[in-house]
Structure formats: C-alpha cells, structure tokens
C-alpha cells in the first residue's frame, strides 16, 4: 500500500506471544488528525473499548497502539492499570495528550497481563516506525487469521487525489454489532471529525455490520478511521465527499469480505441477498438470520439443498412475512416458489454449484422494494478443531 502523509506504522514481535510471532503494532498520526469510529455493542467490553468510548467524542488522535495475544477483557483493575500504563508510555514518547492515544487488544479473554508488560515494549515498536510498514502492522494484529488483511483505494476531493489504506484482523468471534474484529483505516483527506463520523456510520452498517462467521459478538470489536488532514485540499464539505465515500466503502467492503473468507475452518464465502423486503432493516435482519443459521451453514458446507432451513431461518426472526410469497434461489437456480419447494429444480446443477468457493443465495420476500446483502461462510469441522485448541479468545 502507498504511504500516507502523516502516518507512520510498525509491527513487531515483542514477546507478548509465547509463539514469538508479531504481537504489537503502533501507528502515529500527525497533530490535528481527525478520528471517527464504531465500537462493539457488547455489554462486557474490554478495557480498551471503555477507553476508546470515553475519548472518541473528542475527535482527535495522535496514535494507535494494538496488541494481539491478549484481549485485556474481563481483567478488572489490573487490566485498567495495564491500559493506563500503555497510554501514558505512548503519550510520553510523542509528548501528546493521553486522550489522543487509542488502544485496541485482541487475544485471550480473562488473562491478566503483567504490569508494564505493554508499556515497556512501546519504545521498541516506536523505534521501528516507518511510512511503508503496512504489512508488518497487519501481521502484528493477527490471532487465528491465516493471512494479513489490507486494502487501499484512491479518491478525488475537489481537484486533489487522496489515499485510503486499511488493515484488519478477524476470523472467529465474528458477528460485528458494531467479532474478533479490528479494522483501522487511514487517509490523508482533510475532513472534520463529525463529518467523518457521518460518512463512516452507514458504510459500517453495510460492510462490517453485514458479515458473520459464528454469530458471536466480541468484547473488543473496533473500527477506527483516521484522517490526517495532510492533503492539499481545503476542509471537505459533505457535497465534496461522493468519491471519498465510494472509496472508503470499497476499502471497508474488501476488508470485511477478507475477514469472512478467512473464517475459522471456512471453505466457502456465502452471500445472502434479501430483496423485496418492507424495509432495509427487515432485509438486514433476515439476511443475518440465514447467515447465522448453523443448519443452513452446515448444509451448504456439505453441498446439500435443504431449502426448508432457509424458510426456518426467515421465520425465526418473528418479522411479518408472508410465506406464500417467498421465493428462494441458489446461484440463480430457483429452489422455492411461493413458499413451496420446486419438484423440478435443477438438483444436479445446484449441487455442483454448491461445491464452489463462492455461493450466492437470493431471498425474495415480495413485500416491498428494500434489499440488503449479508456475507458469511460455511460451518465445518475445522471451526470446532480450531476453537478446541485454546480456551477463550477474541
């Protein structure tokens, strides 16, 4: 990814993980950087979430510190002490307000870090800062991810080209209700914090909040977007951000799909497209109900056309649908018409299609014009194996 003026990053193996893999990431941003974000709605949030919730309304940032291997969640006063020490260590090096230092953690829930364990490693990661270390940063925030996740786009604001880079992690505990999911986006655009937040919110709804791996919302879900303001254009107005919205949406969409494709034990990316709904919210709810259904996902994993499971997942939402109007298609082949399975469906073609790495389900409710897409993955024995190899994590 291309460098962004005002952004320096590093990702190192600091010894937090017993495996010796990269585990600590630091990003510094220029003074005056605007920040917007969306955080987990979990009522059992991690200590970093509590900190970010408190400082985010200020809208300013100078740094982001992320550790992997330990979520610093369910850690009480000891966890809060570790967080405070970490924030203070970064603020000291940068000579900035501690409230401009953002923190995120991912890893095992409930394990208390030793005092100073992160703070004492801050000088080393700070020394490694570079404008080009995007891959190192993405590697350092991984837990069960099988690959580092990044995405980049350019956009035009006025007569100026700006850059948007994003990195993310997540492959389990993914049902963002904003799993374990972290995403950090950086741009050189000049955008006020309040406007950046307004741009970000609907994009999160349609991307990170429209994916699921296992239906579990993490203690630590965090999406933060930093705008350094180093581009040459004047402060952007809402009307000037059309192309920026497009590019930001593409970065978030790309990262969200990478998370689902890397779902623990996954072999298939599944897109559920709900159309003909009364409202977008209804379409979203029904899409997530199908995407989170264990019965649906295990059937798709084994290439089984089990259309009754789709009807079950629609019905369990409790939303006012009319079963006799519902049509279902798999990869464009109809399997349900007016609420009834088709006896002459193209069984052989559909079963062959279900062996693909990417599957599209279309649900037509015939109730209105609203629609929404949700992305998930199949559920395999691999998910159980991976999650039996450790106690608990985000």
């Amino acid at each position: 990814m291309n460098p962004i003026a005002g952004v320096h990053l590093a990702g190192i193996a600091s010894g937090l993980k017993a495996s010796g893999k990269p585990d600590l990431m630091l990003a510094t941003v220029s003074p005056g950087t605007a920040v917007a974000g969306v955080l987990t709605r979990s009522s059992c949030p991690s200590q970093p979430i509590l900190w970010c919730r408190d400082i985010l309304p200020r809208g300013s940032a100078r740094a982001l510190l992320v550790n992997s291997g330990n979520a610093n969640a369910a850690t009480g006063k000891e966890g809060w002490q570790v967080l405070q020490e970490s924030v203070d260590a970064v603020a000291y090096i940068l000579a900035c307000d501690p409230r401009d230092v953002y923190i995120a953690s991912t890893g095992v829930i409930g394990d208390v870090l030793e005092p100073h364990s992160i703070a004492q490693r801050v000088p080393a990661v700070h020394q490694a800062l570079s404008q080009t270390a995007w891959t190192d940063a993405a590697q350092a925030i991984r837990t069960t991810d099988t690959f580092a996740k990044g995405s980049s786009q350019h956009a035009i604001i006025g007569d100026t080209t700006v850059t948007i880079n994003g990195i993310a992690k997540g492959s389990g505990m993914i049902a963002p209700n904003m799993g374990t999911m972290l995403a950090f986006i950086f741009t050189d655009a000049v955008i006020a914090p309040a406007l950046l937040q307004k741009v970000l919110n609907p994009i999160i709804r349609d991307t990170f909040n429209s994916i699921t791996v296992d239906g579990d919302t993490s203690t630590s879900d965090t999406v933060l977007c930093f705008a350094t303001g180093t581009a040459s254009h004047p402060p952007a107005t809402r009307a000037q951000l059309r192309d920026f919205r497009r590019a930001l949406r593409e970065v978030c969409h790309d990262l969200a799909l990478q998370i689902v494709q890397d779902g623990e034990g996954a072999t298939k990316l599944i897109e559920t497209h709900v159309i003909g709904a009364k409202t977008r919210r209804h379409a979203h709810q029904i899409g997530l109900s199908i995407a989170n259904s264990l019965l649906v996902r295990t059937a798709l994993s084994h290439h089984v056309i089990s259309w009754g499971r789709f009807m079950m997942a629609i019905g369990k939402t409790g939303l006012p649908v009319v079963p006799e109007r519902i049509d279902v298609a798999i990869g464009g082949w109809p399997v349900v018409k007016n609420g009834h399975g088709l006896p002459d469906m193209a069984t052989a073609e559909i079963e062959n299609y279900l062996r693909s790495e990417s599957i599209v389900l279309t649900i037509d409710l015939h109730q209105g014009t609203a629609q929404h897409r949700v992305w998930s993955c199949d559920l395999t024995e691999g998910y159980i194996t991976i999650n039996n190899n450790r106690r608990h994590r985000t």
Side-chain angles (χ1 to χ4, degrees):
M1 291 188 283
N2 294 320
I4 292 178
V7 180
H8 294 77
L9 310 93
I12 65 170
S14 72
L16 284 169
K17 288 180 179 176
S19 65
K21 293 180 179 179
D23 53 25
L24 190 62
M25 173 265 204
L26 176 66
T28 63
V29 290
S30 57
T33 292
V35 60
V38 179
L39 307 171
T40 183
R41 296 177 189 170
S42 170
S43 56
C44 295
S46 67
Q47 305 295 20
I49 290 293
L50 294 172
W51 173 259
C52 290
R53 281 180 183 173
D54 187 50
I55 67 172
L56 190 56
R58 299 179 73 247
S60 62
R62 283 285 281 115
L64 166 69
L65 182 68
V66 186
N67 74 276
S68 57
N70 187 301
N72 198 7
T75 51
K77 292 181 179 179
E78 294 91 343
W80 192 252
Q81 179 184 348
V82 169
L83 181 143
Q84 289 283 310
E85 293 167 350
S86 305
V87 167
D88 290 343
V90 175
Y92 176 78
I93 282 184
L94 297 181
C96 70
D97 190 323
R99 296 174 298 173
D100 285 342
V101 177
Y102 285 79
I103 297 282
S105 298
T106 180
V108 176
I109 296 173
D111 277 5
V112 178
L113 286 158
E114 292 293 324
H116 317 300
S117 56
I118 296 178
Q120 68 186 1
R121 292 168 164 86
V122 167
V125 70
H126 179 263
Q127 191 173 15
L129 287 172
S130 163
Q131 282 195 301
T132 59
W134 294 96
T135 300
D136 291 343
Q139 292 284 8
I141 65 176
R142 289 171 54 188
T143 52
T144 58
D145 305 57
T146 64
F147 61 89
K149 299 168 179 66
S151 186
S152 184
Q153 288 284 328
H154 293 293
I156 303 295
I157 299 178
D159 296 325
T160 303
T161 299
V162 300
T163 302
I164 304 171
N165 288 349
I167 60 174
K169 68 82 52 183
S171 59
M173 208 175 283
I174 303 293
N177 201 356
M178 97 258 301
T180 297
M181 195 197 83
L182 304 177
F184 308 113
I185 302 156
F186 301 84
T187 179
D188 53 347
V190 188
I191 306 176
L195 181 55
L196 185 61
Q197 188 69 56
K198 289 180 181 178
V199 170
L200 184 64
N201 285 341
I203 292 174
I204 296 293
R205 176 198 65 199
D206 296 340
T207 57
F208 296 117
N209 273 356
S210 293
I211 61 172
T212 181
V213 167
D214 47 24
D216 287 332
T217 296
S218 168
T219 60
S220 309
D221 295 333
T222 301
V223 177
L224 294 172
C225 183
F226 302 89
T228 65
T230 52
S232 60
H233 66 87
T237 65
R238 191 181 187 97
Q240 293 174 315
L241 291 179
R242 180 175 180 178
D243 194 51
F244 180 85
R245 285 191 184 90
R246 185 242 353 131
L248 180 59
R249 183 179 295 272
E250 289 188 17
V251 167
C252 292
H253 179 70
D254 185 14
L255 292 173
L257 289 195
Q258 288 183 53
I259 289 171
V260 175
Q261 288 169 325
D262 199 23
E264 292 172 342
T267 65
K268 304 177 191 303
L269 173 67
I270 302 167
E271 176 184 309
T272 302
H273 187 193
V274 180
I275 64 176
K278 282 186 176 180
T279 67
R280 189 188 188 107
R281 183 177 65 84
H282 283 188
H284 194 169
Q285 285 182 263
I286 288 171
L288 282 176
S289 181
I290 294 168
N292 277 322
S293 169
L294 303 184
L295 289 172
V296 169
R297 294 169 60 207
T298 51
L300 295 177
S301 174
H302 290 82
H303 327 126
V304 176
I305 307 169
S306 191
W307 62 266
R309 299 183 182 190
F310 301 137
M311 301 298 289
M312 171 279 298
I314 296 168
K316 75 177 183 180
T317 64
L319 293 173
V321 299
V322 182
E324 293 78 13
R325 295 181 184 174
I326 296 174
D327 296 341
V328 178
I330 299 176
W333 285 283
V335 296
V336 174
K337 184 68 176 177
N338 298 327
H340 296 284
L342 296 174
D344 57 347
M345 70 176 71
T347 302
E349 291 87 344
I350 297 171
E351 288 178 346
N352 185 58
Y353 173 76
L354 289 177
R355 289 177 169 80
S356 306
E357 294 182 356
S358 183
I359 295 169
V360 178
L361 311 175
T362 305
I363 315 297
D364 192 343
L365 302 175
H366 290 288
Q367 287 189 302
T369 59
Q371 60 179 298
H372 195 79
R373 285 180 170 87
V374 171
W375 293 270
S376 60
C377 58
D378 59 336
L379 185 62
T380 70
E381 293 84 351
Y383 182 86
I384 299 171
T385 301
I386 291 169
N387 282 282
N388 278 339
N389 285 337
R390 60 190 183 276
R391 295 177 292 120
H392 41 231
R393 58 87 184 93
T394 65

